[in-house]
Amino acid sequence: MAGYGAMAGGAGMDYTVHEAWNDATNVYLIAILLSLGLLVYARRNKRKIMRIFTVPPTDPTPEPNFYDNLQKVRLRQQLDMYYIARKYEQQQGQSDSVQLTVE
């Protein structure tokens, strides 16, 4: 019966259970204090912590596709040709009207 808090050899109380309980409560108290400290730190430094866990963008400016560039060039050429044709038509229309007014 010496290990259960009764008389140990008749000399006094056996405090091994009490010491274990005290050690366990000290460990739990330290764990609780550390978790509270981490919680307070996390609230104050939320941006720093979130910066650690966010993934940076892999490639901010991806290389443009060759076919996309080619389509843009063709579109630009078509627009230029349309602009030149409209300008030519306007000049032809003006010269016709000028000829009509001159005659």
Side-chain angles (χ1 to χ4, degrees):
M1 282 231 243
Y4 296 103
M7 300 296 282
M13 300 241 354
D14 186 10
Y15 287 102
T16 56
V17 173
H18 296 290
E19 289 173 4
W21 178 257
N22 285 336
D23 290 341
T25 53
N26 288 341
V27 169
Y28 286 129
L29 182 63
I30 290 171
I32 290 170
L33 289 176
L34 282 175
S35 63
L36 287 175
L38 285 173
L39 182 66
V40 170
Y41 178 79
R43 284 192 176 189
R44 288 185 181 169
N45 300 315
K46 189 175 187 178
R47 290 184 181 167
K48 288 182 184 177
I49 294 171
M50 290 306 292
R51 214 179 322 151
I52 293 171
F53 292 111
T54 56
V55 178
T58 56
D59 192 10
T61 55
E63 184 177 329
N65 193 358
F66 174 75
Y67 293 107
D68 289 340
N69 286 340
L70 190 61
Q71 286 178 349
K72 288 179 183 177
V73 168
R74 286 181 181 166
L75 180 62
R76 172 55 68 192
Q77 288 175 346
Q78 288 175 354
L79 288 174
D80 287 343
M81 291 302 292
Y82 176 76
Y83 174 74
I84 291 170
R86 293 289 294 168
K87 193 173 179 182
Y88 178 76
E89 287 175 3
Q90 287 178 356
Q91 288 177 353
Q92 290 297 321
Q94 287 177 358
S95 65
D96 289 342
S97 65
V98 170
Q99 288 176 358
L100 289 176
T101 55
V102 171
E103 291 178 349

